[in-house]
Amino acid sequence: MPSANWSAGLLATRLAFFVAGFGLAAWAPLVPLAKERLAVDDHMLGLLLLCLGTGSVIAMLLSSLSNAWYGSKPIILAGGLGLAIILPWLAIADTPLSLGATLFAFGVSLGSIDVAINIHAIELERATGRPLMSGFHAQYSIGEFTGSAAVTSFLSLQLGPLFSTFLCSALITIAIVSAWPGLLGTGSRQQGPLFVLPHRSVMLIAVLAAITFLVEGAMLDWSALLLVERDLLAEAHGGIGYMLFSLAMTAGRLSGDAVVARIGDRATLMLGTLPTVTGFLAVVAAPVALIAMAGFLLIGLGISNVVPVLCRRAGKQKVMPAALAIAVITTAGYAGILVGPAGIGLVAHMFGLPLAFAMLGALMSIVTLSARIMMIDPR
């Protein structure tokens, strides 16, 4: 690939990952406002949020077919513009039915762009012969932070939900339109079947992705409560643990491509998940807040490159089309985010939150133990 095309493709893919993270996180600060506007209880709000997940999962399952027909480039554009168009409607939907339908459509856009950007990233890695996935996922993390911060800042300036989302939609539109010319136009148009049952090797990668996303979702939903319940931090400061986790994960992804290029995928998985398990031990057993904070940093740093490596392995396997493999893995990961935190809540209710977090560390050790098996090419 010529250097000019490589540079343009790299920038465009980074923008696309940023847009996906930005769009998802821009909705988060709107959740309490939607609950107040609709005057619904937590149960109804949970059902409405499930509409977003349902739309995402359906779109992820169908995106492999769309990529096979049209390539990833138009799907990235359509998904990004879909986020920009639908986001303001989330700020004004005034009935449970309208919000549920809007969240479903928003989820379809999210699911479509999530699968397409990972497929496009794999295509760019193949074209350049360089590991790039960690850097792209770092842009997703940066987009999440920026999207949440942007909406929160606009709301704090009393701009109102609708105008705040219009501003975010304008930023999304500018970014995705700017990315369009640099995206690869070849797509992933495969010559084989459009649908095959997932191979056992791909299912293993999908299970590991679900575990990893489960851990990320649990950190978001439960880390502050763990710190507060164990009297390590005051309630107002409970979010510091997740903040440190997010910063460490972003830093790890920014340096991840250089690490993978030096030591390879297998060593990255094994050396990455070991600090994660150690971090969970520190968080669960910490007698003081400082040790717990160090644990959150270790977890974020260790887990940072697991998903990028899993996506790369899915793209390299030859037993099923790469687009289908990416769709399976992305769907499994999203299922981990949806189901995992609820499962952690059940375990915490029965045995306590520290034991639930210890279980997360044990689950991550499965990734370490599976690293060697996953690197063996299936026949």
Side-chain angles (χ1 to χ4, degrees), residues 53-80:
T54 302
S56 295
V57 169
I58 291 174
M60 288 172 181
L61 293 173
L62 296 178
S63 287
S64 60
L65 300 178
S66 302
N67 275 275
W69 288 329
Y70 307 113
S72 57
K73 182 175 181 177
I75 297 173
I76 291 173
L77 179 68

Side-chain angles (χ1 to χ4, degrees), residues 41 75 128 163 326 337 339 343 361:
D41 57 17
I75 297 173
T128 60
F163 190 66
I326 290 295
I337 291 178
V339 178

